[in-house]
Every structure is written in C-alpha cells, then in structure tokens.
Amino acid sequence: MTKEGSHKSYRPFTVLTFRINYLIFGSAPWSYHLVNVLLHAVVCCLVYKLNKLLVKTCFDSKIPLVTKPAEKHHKKQNLNTSANTIPNVAEVEQNFIAKTATVLFLVHPIHVEAVTGVVGRAELLSTIFVVLSILCYAKFTVKHVVASFLFCSLAMASKEQGITVLAVFLVFDICLYHKLSLDDYCLLLVMYISSSKKVRYKSLLWRSFLVIMFGIFLLFMRFFAMGNNLPHFDIFDNPAASAEFPARHLTLNYLLPVNTWLLLNPSNLLCDWTMGTIPLITSFTDVRNIATIMFWFIFITLGVFSFFGNSPVSKLSSVAVAMIVFPFLPASNLLFTVGFVVAERILYIPSIGFTLLVAVGLHKLRKAVKWDKLVFSFLTILIVTHALKTVIRNFDWKDEQTLFKSALKVTKTNAKVWNNIGHTYEDKRNWTEALKYFRKAAEVQPDDLGALMNVGGMLEALDRPQEAENIYWQAKKLFPQPIAGKSYTARVVPKSLKLFMRLGNIIKTNKSRLHEVDKLYKEVIQMKETFVEAYINRGEILVLLKREKEALAMFETALQHTNNKSDIYYNMGVVHASLGNKTGAIEGYTLAIYHNQNHVKALYNSAVILQETRDKDLLRRAKIRIEHVIKLEPDNLLAQSLLGSIHMDLHEYKDAIKCWDDVLKVEPKQRISLFNKALLLSRIDSKSGTCLLAIKELLKYYPNHIKGLTLYGDVMLNVVKDVKEALAIFQRIIDLEPGNTQAKHNYCVALVEDGRLKEAENCLEEVSIAAPDEPHTKENLAIVRHRLALKEVHNQQAKEEGVFAKQQYVEHTVHKDNAEETHKVEVDEEIYIAKPVKRADETLTEQADKVVKNLRRMKTDQVMEQKLAQAKRAVEKLKQIKSKADEQTKDKCKTEDKTVEKFDLREKALKALDDLEAQL
C-alpha cells in the first residue's frame, strides 16, 4: 500500500474469501467461478427483496406526506399537495415493478465481467453488503442502524465504493421514507439549527448526522490505509486524466454518456477500455460533445424530478438515481483519478438503480398505453436478448486469448489489447507470433513504452540481442530527458523503469561494457532514488567490476528504501563470500533467512558454508537448514546431494548413501552425487567392487572429471596395486590439466611403486619447483633420493662380487677341462650368465649396455682364434702345476658354487660381466 505503483486497493474481506477458497479447493479455477456465480445468485435474491422494500415504502399509504412546518418561520411552509397521503397502488403493480427490475438485473450482460471474471468478486461481495446495509437501515431501530454501519464497513472492506451506501441511506431516509423533497429537507435543517423550539423529524436529523460522521470516520480510515496519499496511474491507463484543458474535461464528461449507453445497449462489450479505445476530445467542435450535452440535460431533468418532486414515482426515482450516481461517482474520474477510463464491472451496483428506473418506466408505459401485451412483448424481447448476450459473452471469457481477440471486434486502436494477445502467445512460448502482436501494439501506440519493452523481450527470447538492444534504446528516448543544470526527477511507474534493467542485462554480457551498464544504473537511480531494483542491479555490476565495497554500499542503500530486505541481505552474503569473508557471508544469509524463513538460496548457500567447516555443531545447523530447503522444494536435487555430504561428515554413512541414491534415481547423471558416493565408498569400503563400480559410473558420464580420475588412480595404486593403470590415469589428468600439481605428485609416487626411482626423482623435483610449499613433495623426494643412494651402494657391491665370482668360475673351468675343450669356455660362460636369477638390481648404467652391444658386434672368427691361442697357452702353463691345481680347484669350485648362489643378479646386470672377456 505504501509503494508508488500500488493501486491502493485495500480489500481485506475479498482477499479473505480468496484465501478460504484456496484452502478448500486449491487453485482449481472452477471453484472460484462457482463461488462467484453463487454470490451473484445471492445478490439477485437480495436485490429482489430490496426492490420490494423500495416499492412498498414508496406506495405505502400509511406513511404521510410532509406536514406544514411552523408557519411563522417561512412562507414556504405550505409544502403539501391537495391530499396528505399517497394513493394506494395495487400489490400486483408493486410486484410487477420489483420483479421486472430484478429479472433485468439478473440477465443484464454488463454483469458478465463482474461475475465471470474472478476478481469481480469484489463487486459481488460489496453489493451484498450494500443491499444488506440498506435493508437493515430501513428498519430505523438503533440495533439495525448499528448493523447497517457494520455491513457498510464490510462493503468497503470488499471494495472501496461500498462507502457510498451511506449517501443512499440519506436519500432513502429523506426522500422515500419521509417523503421530503430536497428543498424541504434543507428548510427543515435550517429551522432546526436556527430555532430553539421543537422541530419535527428530529430523529431523521440525528440519523443524518450519525451517517455523515460515520462516513467521515470511514474516509479517514481508508485514507490512512492508503498510506495518506492517492494512487498514481500510468498515462496509458487513463489518458484523459493526464490531458490538459479542455481535452481532460471534455473527455471525462463524455465518459458519462458512454457508461450510460453501456447500460442501455450492452452490445459492444469490451474487457479493456484504456489507451486509445476512446480517443481524447480535444475540441469543442467534436461531434461527441452532443452526447455529453444530451446526457447532462436528461440527467439534470431526472435529478430535479426525483429530488424536488412530490409524486410517488419521483420518490422512488430518487433512490434509484442515488443507487446509480453515488456508487459510480468514485470511478467517474470526476472527484479523483482512477486507473481506467471505463470498466464494465463498476456498473454492477449502479445497474440496481438503473433496472429499477426501467421497471418504473415500463409501469408508467403500461398505464399510459393501456396495452399490456405490447409492454410485455417488449419486456420479453428485452429479457431474452439480454440473456442471450450474457450467454454469448461468457464464451468470450473462456480464456485470455478468446477474451482479448473478442476485444478486437470492438476496437483496434487499443495497444493494450494487442499487447495482451501477444502475452497469451508468449505464455505458450510462441515467440514469433507474440512478436507480431507486440509490434502491432507499438504501431498503434508509438509512444507506448510497454509495447516496445515487449518487442525487446521477444527479440531476446528469439536470441536476437542486438535488435533487442536497439529497441530498448528507442524506448529509453520516451523518458523525460534531463535538462542541463537542473536536477533530474521524474514520476514514472516503476515497471517502466525495468527498461533500464533489461538494457543493462543485455549490455553486461559484454564484459568490456560493464562501465556503460554502471552509468545506466546511475541514471535510473538519479531518476528515481527509491527504485530498489536499480541499487541491487548496480551492486551486482560493481561486484563484477571488483568494487565490492561500493557494491555493499549500494545494498545498504537499497535496504533503506524497502521492507523486503531478504534478497538484499542475500546479495550481501554473496559479495562477502566472493571476498572470502565466510563470517560476513553467513551473517548476510542468516539475515536474509530472518526476513524470509523460506529463502531457499540463502538457506542452501549458508548450509554449504556451514558444511565446509566440518564442525559438528555447525553441521547440525546446516542439516536443519538444508532439510527445510528440501521441505520447500522436494525436487531440489542439489539440496538432497548436499544433505548426503552433511550426513557423511557426521559419519551417518547409510543416510548419506541413501540421499545420493535417491538423487541418482531421479537424475542418474547428477555429477555431485556420483562423485560423493564414490568418494565415501573409497573411504569406508575401498576393497569392495562397489567402490570401483561407483567410480566407473561417474567416469562413464564424465570421463574428464578430474577429481573422479584422481580418486580412480588412488584406488588403482593403493588398493588394486595396478601400478601401470594408475600411471596411465595420472598421466591423463596431467594431459587434461598440465598445472595440476596433485596429479603430477601422484604420478611421481606411482613411478616409485613401479621401481623407476630415477624418473621419480626427476618428477618430484619438477613438482617441488611448481609447488614449493607442498611438504609431502619434499618428504617423498628425500625418501626417493635415500633409496637411490642405497641402491647405488648395493649395485657397486653387486658389481664387485660379480667380478670375483666370474674370476673364480674361469679358474675352475681352466683347471678342470683339458686344453682341447678350453674353447668351450665362452659357451659355458654364456650358459652360466643366461641362468635365471632370483633377485635383480633396480638400475642399469648406460655404459654397461653400450659395452654389451660392442662386444656382441666384435664376436668374429679372428677374435675367437685369438682367444683360443690364449687359452692354449694357459693350458700349457696349468699342466705344470696340475696336481696342486686340481686340489685347489676342487675347493675353489665348492666355494665358488656357494658364492654364486648368494648373488641374485638382474639379466642386464649379469651382461655387464661381458666386459671381462677382454681379460681372457
């Protein structure tokens, strides 16, 4: 009610009925329409009772005409007619008037909007309480007058015009019940004020005083509920109200015969009479002014006849005219501006008085022509045609599209109708068709900002952002332009200012134009300092510009201009989170939840931060918040997945897996749940096949999921002991993310497990350079270097022992074999070297490999002859010490056999012994 864009339509009782309707039937449309139809039936019953009361009161002969006031006060005291009682009218005639008026009210097509349109319930409820208040007031007892005031309050709580029934009270009391004309009542009032003597009709004067005072009280309360200011409407809702003299006055007066014609001839009914439906009358020479003149002539004549006449018909007519005029007056634009030009629904209560006038006229016609059949034939035709029109008109209200398309049969100059048809296609996501109607609206009303915004919106939906931006810039030119040296303020409807937000959303997709967007939002804030959305959007832009402190200042300012603070506090939490200030983020999110307990984003984001702390108390708080999110949005898969993570941190493993399984049943590809499930299983049940299945399921949908690949590599390396597969996985991660130091470190560890220590050393050195602060890398590097040092010593020792073993073997062979068989030494040596061994060295030198290759290339016949000659000379020498050598050889062979068994040399290490062949 305090917002500038509010229509100030404070109707608490009407809203209450909608709430009850929703509690019982939910959102089923039929239930709302059914209630409206039943309410219309109740209204018709009450209207019939009211008509009977009015007619009976009018023609009741027991109620005397006004008697002459004290003669000495004024010569105009002789106010009576020749008779002092009203002639009695047959009860049949009274019933004719009452029933005719009620049936005409029942079938009048003007009521379709109020009854078929769900929001027309305000008219129905207000009418019920208006009629009830009149019926109560007519009994004139204290309790009934109090009851009438209560019903009047309920009528106003249903719709604002309900307060006008107080004026009907006065007319009923003065003109109909007491048979006083308006001048009689004024004279009586003067006499009462000026004379100390006893004056008749004192109770009438006191009731009038109470009615007026109660009316003032209700007006005060209503104005207070409106925020002590009148509503402001768009110029297109009511163009005449914004026009200058004489267009404003001529057009607003012309609207009176337009409304009257709708009651007389409801043929061209229209759901929306705004914008260009009724063009402004800008000149006194406009032919439509004739209708205005005729209306005022008839209206003044009828008013004089009704309020200053003394005949029964004039008394009845006075109440009928009051029922037409007073309920219509607030919507006439004559007292203050309303948000429409013509609205059929506001004629619902005035039609009670109108149909009563028609019934009285038919009664007079019967008396005049004395041909009942002709009158009844006319009445029958009138009722049947009205009933048919009502039925046909209901089909136009089948849905929005049929309703607005039916309006095109009446007018094609109303841009709002074209826009509304476009919106029906927009709701069906038929952007192309919607764009066609929006462009037509812009063509009909070139200065319609809303139409241009709709065109831009459809161009955005059709992925034509550049065209949309051009349209928005065109629409922006319709705003009042700032004048140099003067402050720029403009009173515009807030929804029009959303143009700046849309334009900014398009421009900010280009990061290089963020400063341009910032300037745009500054402009709209200068235009309307209370436009909260501009502060919020500018705050978001400042965040993108890395000006977080200014963004927070924007949000703080926005808090001063709105009571809806939850979204703003949420945005502040987001800014703090982007700054790494988790405390500030939690504070912002918590304040957002305080102002809106169902703020899903604040609940979720705060739960994420609380879960990251791993603190048990905070985890329980996060659990409460995320469970509330799931209660609000049972299909929120992210919230369910996060709840699983919280369960995992609380060591509630079964609940965690259940949460993730529930998510995966709905969305098998939900990445977070797939990974979390695999991660949890790797911790609690890594040796089972379930863990690997979960990991492979993740990688099936997301083959490049880095964390999933890392987890898979860890399991293959540490659990399955498949070093080759682990190396391949870590290498894949490095290929995907060359800067992933964790993957490189894991790759280095796998090299160690594969026995490739030298490569592992080089790998860890690279990782330590890339991540110098990583302690595990340094520790692992030290371990690898230590192992390499040990292996070097071991290799040197093995090499020396291998040389000794080779020498012992040669000596044994020389002493044992004869000279002719000495040439077999190399063959025996090759057999010996090729024997399988139990243990191997972990490293080989490149020099040994080269020696082996060179020796194999040198095995030619010449070399073999040289070696044979050397062997023969050795045999001759050994014969000289044969006896002694044989014994020594036997002992040495035994020793040598045992010594050789001690060495478990690798194949490549044994080949290094080939370099000893040169010594033979």
Side-chain angles (χ1 to χ4, degrees), residues 555-573:
F555 295 138
E556 291 285 356
T557 306
L559 289 172
Q560 301 173 11
H561 297 293
T562 181
N563 293 325
N564 186 13
K565 303 178 185 294
S566 57
D567 287 339
I568 302 174
Y569 278 122
Y570 169 75
N571 287 340
M572 294 175 72

Side-chain angles (χ1 to χ4, degrees), residues 277-477:
T277 306
I278 301 177
L280 296 178
I281 301 177
T282 58
S283 171
F284 288 101
T285 59
D286 194 310
V287 69
R288 290 175 291 174
N289 290 323
I290 298 175
T292 304
I293 295 171
M294 291 178 61
F295 167 81
W296 279 113
F297 174 77
I298 296 173
F299 177 76
I300 292 172
T301 302
L302 180 62
V304 171
F305 169 77
S306 301
F307 292 100
F308 293 95
N310 286 313
S311 67
V313 173
S314 67
K315 301 305 179 184
L316 185 58
S317 298
S318 64
V319 178
V321 170
M323 289 288 291
I324 296 173
V325 173
F326 292 118
F328 176 77
L329 199 57
S332 66
N333 285 288
L334 297 177
L335 299 180
F336 44 80
T337 302
V338 294
F340 51 84
V341 178
V342 175
E344 295 166 9
R345 62 186 178 278
I346 61 99
L347 295 175
Y348 191 79
I349 295 179
S351 64
I352 298 175
F354 174 78
T355 53
L356 182 59
L357 278 181
V358 173
V360 173
L362 289 173
H363 168 70
K364 295 289 289 182
L365 186 62
R366 287 179 61 199
K367 295 297 184 183
V369 300
K370 295 183 180 180
W371 194 2
D372 288 351
K373 289 185 179 181
L374 177 63
V375 175
F376 277 107
S377 297
F378 173 76
L379 179 59
T380 302
I381 293 172
L382 187 62
I383 293 172
V384 170
T385 54
H386 275 41
L388 287 174
K389 178 63 178 179
T390 298
V391 172
I392 294 171
R393 179 60 176 163
N394 268 276
F395 285 101
D396 292 339
W397 282 78
K398 177 183 177 182
D399 55 47
E400 287 185 325
Q401 195 169 98
T402 58
L403 176 63
F404 295 125
K405 283 190 174 181
S406 70
L408 293 179
K409 300 175 184 177
V410 180
T411 178
K412 289 182 170 59
T413 59
N414 188 336
K416 195 171 183 180
V417 171
W418 293 101
N419 277 321
N420 285 334
I421 297 175
H423 286 308
T424 62
Y425 284 106
E426 181 184 5
D427 294 339
K428 297 176 181 178
R429 306 182 71 81
N430 188 345
W431 316 125
T432 304
E433 197 68 18
L435 178 60
K436 183 193 304 182
Y437 281 94
F438 289 146
R439 286 194 185 279
K440 185 64 178 178
E443 178 185 333
V444 169
Q445 192 82 38
D447 58 344
D448 181 13
L449 183 64
L452 291 174
M453 290 176 64
N454 290 334
V455 172
M458 289 304 95
L459 289 172
E460 285 190 76
L462 291 169
D463 197 20
R464 294 153 65 179
Q466 187 58 52
E467 294 180 62
E469 182 181 346
N470 295 336
I471 288 292
Y472 289 147
W473 283 116
Q474 179 184 342
K476 185 177 178 297
K477 294 178 182 178

Side-chain angles (χ1 to χ4, degrees), residues 674-689:
L674 285 169
F675 174 73
N676 285 341
K677 181 180 178 182
L679 179 63
L680 178 58
L681 289 173
S682 70
R683 293 180 181 178
I684 64 175
D685 195 16
S686 60
K687 294 183 179 180
S688 69

Side-chain angles (χ1 to χ4, degrees), residues 517-553:
V517 181
D518 184 36
K519 182 180 179 182
L520 192 68
Y521 291 154
K522 278 184 180 179
E523 182 180 344
V524 73
I525 290 172
Q526 184 182 5
M527 184 183 299
K528 179 143 326 256
E529 294 182 354
T530 59
F531 190 42
V532 176
E533 193 172 347
Y535 290 103
I536 296 174
N537 279 268
R538 184 167 183 241
E540 293 173 353
I541 293 298
L542 290 171
V543 171
L544 295 176
L545 290 170
K546 306 300 181 183
R547 293 155 59 183
E548 289 83 358
K549 291 185 179 180
E550 293 181 61
L552 290 173

Side-chain angles (χ1 to χ4, degrees), residues 61-80:
S61 60
K62 296 180 181 180
I63 301 176
L65 291 170
V66 61
T67 55
K68 298 178 181 180
E71 294 181 0
K72 64 179 180 178
H73 288 288
H74 201 279
K75 292 183 179 180
K76 198 179 178 181
Q77 294 169 349
N78 187 10
L79 303 173
N80 63 333

Side-chain angles (χ1 to χ4, degrees), residues 560-613:
Q560 301 173 11
H561 297 293
T562 181
N563 293 325
N564 186 13
K565 303 178 185 294
S566 57
D567 287 339
I568 302 174
Y569 278 122
Y570 169 75
N571 287 340
M572 294 175 72
V574 171
V575 175
H576 283 297
S578 67
L579 291 172
N581 181 7
K582 293 186 177 181
T583 303
I586 285 293
E587 181 181 357
Y589 295 145
T590 303
L591 286 171
I593 297 168
Y594 172 78
H595 288 278
N596 179 8
Q597 295 181 359
N598 297 329
H599 199 295
V600 173
K601 290 183 178 179
L603 288 165
Y604 179 83
N605 285 10
S606 61
V608 169
I609 296 177
L610 293 172
Q611 187 258 341
E612 290 174 352
T613 64

Side-chain angles (χ1 to χ4, degrees), residues 86-252:
I86 299 176
N88 188 26
V89 177
E91 186 175 348
V92 176
E93 297 298 328
Q94 295 180 25
N95 288 335
F96 171 80
I97 297 174
K99 291 179 179 179
T100 299
T102 304
V103 172
L104 288 175
F105 177 84
L106 171 66
V107 299
H108 204 295
I110 203 69
H111 299 158
V112 173
E113 181 174 337
V115 180
T116 305
V118 172
V119 294
R121 184 175 298 182
E123 312 289 340
L124 302 172
L125 292 171
S126 180
T127 304
I128 288 174
F129 293 123
V130 162
V131 176
L132 285 173
S133 62
I134 296 174
L135 293 175
C136 286
Y137 187 85
K139 296 185 178 180
F140 299 115
T141 63
V142 174
K143 65 177 181 179
H144 284 97
V145 170
V146 172
S148 69
F149 286 171
L150 175 62
F151 284 129
C152 174
S153 301
L154 290 173
M156 193 178 73
S158 301
K159 190 171 182 181
E160 303 75 25
Q161 66 188 34
I163 192 176
T164 59
V165 72
L166 295 174
V168 179
F169 287 175
L170 296 177
V171 174
F172 176 84
D173 202 355
I174 296 169
C175 299
L176 188 60
Y177 185 77
H178 286 94
K179 309 299 186 296
L180 294 173
S181 62
L182 191 59
D183 57 336
D184 292 336
Y185 180 76
C186 293
L187 178 61
L188 185 65
L189 186 61
V190 171
M191 291 172 58
Y192 180 76
I193 295 173
S194 61
S195 175
S196 59
K197 293 186 178 180
K198 216 173 184 184
V199 180
R200 297 186 63 186
Y201 304 111
K202 190 174 181 179
S203 60
L204 167 63
L205 297 176
W206 273 107
R207 279 198 302 273
S208 300
F209 175 76
L210 288 175
V211 168
I212 293 171
M213 293 307 297
F214 186 68
I216 293 173
F217 169 75
L218 288 182
L219 284 174
F220 174 80
M221 295 300 296
R222 186 69 182 83
F223 196 67
F224 176 77
M226 292 166 60
N228 298 323
N229 57 71
L230 294 175
H232 173 66
F233 300 102
D234 194 303
I235 183 175
F236 299 111
D237 291 335
N238 193 345
S242 303
E244 300 294 334
F245 178 85
R248 171 185 170 87
H249 300 80
L250 292 177
T251 306
L252 292 180

